[in-house]
Short mmCIF file of all heavy atoms in Angstrom, two decimals:
data_model
loop_
_atom_site.label_atom_id
_atom_site.label_comp_id
_atom_site.label_asym_id
_atom_site.label_seq_id
_atom_site.Cartn_x
_atom_site.Cartn_y
_atom_site.Cartn_z
N TRP H 112 186.70 52.89 93.37
CA TRP H 112 186.11 52.09 94.43
C TRP H 112 185.42 50.87 93.82
O TRP H 112 184.78 50.98 92.78
CB TRP H 112 185.07 52.91 95.20
CG TRP H 112 185.72 53.97 96.02
CD1 TRP H 112 186.13 55.21 95.60
CD2 TRP H 112 186.06 53.88 97.39
NE1 TRP H 112 186.69 55.88 96.63
CE2 TRP H 112 186.66 55.10 97.75
CE3 TRP H 112 185.91 52.89 98.36
CZ2 TRP H 112 187.12 55.35 99.03
CZ3 TRP H 112 186.36 53.15 99.64
CH2 TRP H 112 186.96 54.36 99.96
N GLU H 115 180.78 45.86 95.50
CA GLU H 115 180.43 44.44 95.41
C GLU H 115 179.01 44.24 95.94
O GLU H 115 178.62 44.86 96.92
CB GLU H 115 181.42 43.60 96.20
CG GLU H 115 182.82 43.70 95.64
CD GLU H 115 183.87 43.05 96.50
OE1 GLU H 115 183.86 43.26 97.73
OE2 GLU H 115 184.71 42.33 95.94
N SER H 140 178.88 46.34 99.40
CA SER H 140 180.16 46.63 100.05
C SER H 140 181.01 47.51 99.14
O SER H 140 181.15 47.21 97.95
CB SER H 140 180.94 45.34 100.33
OG SER H 140 180.19 44.47 101.13
N LEU H 141 181.56 48.57 99.72
CA LEU H 141 182.49 49.44 98.99
C LEU H 141 183.87 49.26 99.60
O LEU H 141 184.03 49.35 100.82
CB LEU H 141 182.08 50.90 99.13
CG LEU H 141 181.13 51.49 98.12
CD1 LEU H 141 180.74 52.91 98.52
CD2 LEU H 141 181.70 51.48 96.73
N ARG H 142 184.82 48.99 98.76
CA ARG H 142 186.20 48.89 99.23
C ARG H 142 187.12 49.38 98.13
O ARG H 142 186.74 49.49 96.97
CB ARG H 142 186.53 47.46 99.63
CG ARG H 142 186.54 46.46 98.52
CD ARG H 142 186.90 45.06 99.02
NE ARG H 142 186.78 44.07 97.99
CZ ARG H 142 187.76 43.73 97.15
NH1 ARG H 142 188.94 44.29 97.24
NH2 ARG H 142 187.56 42.81 96.22
N ARG H 143 188.33 49.68 98.53
CA ARG H 143 189.35 50.07 97.56
C ARG H 143 189.90 48.80 96.91
O ARG H 143 190.05 47.79 97.59
CB ARG H 143 190.48 50.83 98.27
CG ARG H 143 190.04 52.13 98.88
CD ARG H 143 190.12 53.33 97.97
NE ARG H 143 191.46 53.45 97.44
CZ ARG H 143 191.74 53.46 96.15
NH1 ARG H 143 190.79 53.42 95.26
NH2 ARG H 143 192.97 53.55 95.72
N PRO H 144 190.16 48.81 95.63
CA PRO H 144 190.76 47.63 94.99
C PRO H 144 192.07 47.26 95.70
O PRO H 144 192.86 48.12 96.05
CB PRO H 144 191.02 48.09 93.56
CG PRO H 144 190.02 49.18 93.34
CD PRO H 144 189.90 49.88 94.67
N GLY H 145 192.23 45.98 95.93
CA GLY H 145 193.42 45.50 96.61
C GLY H 145 193.25 45.33 98.11
O GLY H 145 194.04 44.68 98.77
N GLU H 146 192.22 45.94 98.67
CA GLU H 146 191.93 45.80 100.10
C GLU H 146 190.95 44.66 100.29
O GLU H 146 190.08 44.43 99.46
CB GLU H 146 191.34 47.08 100.68
CG GLU H 146 192.30 48.25 100.69
CD GLU H 146 191.67 49.51 101.27
OE1 GLU H 146 190.46 49.50 101.61
OE2 GLU H 146 192.39 50.52 101.37
N GLU H 147 191.07 43.96 101.41
CA GLU H 147 190.17 42.85 101.71
C GLU H 147 188.90 43.34 102.41
O GLU H 147 187.80 42.91 102.09
CB GLU H 147 190.88 41.81 102.58
CG GLU H 147 191.98 41.06 101.84
CD GLU H 147 191.44 40.26 100.67
OE1 GLU H 147 190.38 39.61 100.80
OE2 GLU H 147 192.10 40.28 99.61
N ALA H 148 189.05 44.20 103.40
CA ALA H 148 187.91 44.63 104.22
C ALA H 148 187.19 45.80 103.57
O ALA H 148 187.82 46.73 103.05
CB ALA H 148 188.40 45.03 105.61
N PRO H 149 185.86 45.77 103.59
CA PRO H 149 185.11 46.92 103.05
C PRO H 149 185.24 48.13 103.96
O PRO H 149 185.35 48.00 105.18
CB PRO H 149 183.68 46.41 103.00
CG PRO H 149 183.61 45.27 103.94
CD PRO H 149 184.98 44.70 104.04
N ARG H 150 185.20 49.29 103.36
CA ARG H 150 185.19 50.54 104.14
C ARG H 150 183.76 51.00 104.42
O ARG H 150 183.54 51.87 105.24
CB ARG H 150 185.95 51.62 103.40
CG ARG H 150 187.42 51.31 103.27
CD ARG H 150 188.17 52.55 102.89
NE ARG H 150 189.56 52.26 102.59
CZ ARG H 150 190.41 53.18 102.21
NH1 ARG H 150 190.03 54.44 102.08
NH2 ARG H 150 191.66 52.85 101.95
N TRP H 151 182.82 50.42 103.69
CA TRP H 151 181.39 50.75 103.86
C TRP H 151 180.60 49.52 103.47
O TRP H 151 180.93 48.84 102.50
CB TRP H 151 181.05 51.93 102.96
CG TRP H 151 179.61 52.32 102.96
CD1 TRP H 151 179.00 53.21 103.79
CD2 TRP H 151 178.59 51.87 102.06
NE1 TRP H 151 177.67 53.33 103.47
CE2 TRP H 151 177.40 52.52 102.41
CE3 TRP H 151 178.57 50.98 101.00
CZ2 TRP H 151 176.20 52.31 101.72
CZ3 TRP H 151 177.39 50.76 100.32
CH2 TRP H 151 176.22 51.44 100.69
N GLN H 152 179.55 49.24 104.24
CA GLN H 152 178.71 48.08 103.93
C GLN H 152 177.29 48.36 104.41
O GLN H 152 177.10 48.90 105.49
CB GLN H 152 179.27 46.83 104.59
CG GLN H 152 178.61 45.55 104.11
CD GLN H 152 179.34 44.33 104.64
OE1 GLN H 152 179.39 44.12 105.83
NE2 GLN H 152 179.89 43.54 103.72
#
Side-chain angles (χ1 to χ4, degrees):
W112 290 83
E115 297 172 314
S140 302
L141 270 174
R142 66 179 174 90
R143 297 271 305 122
E146 294 180 357
E147 291 297 318
R150 294 196 187 179
W151 176 89
Q152 191 172 63

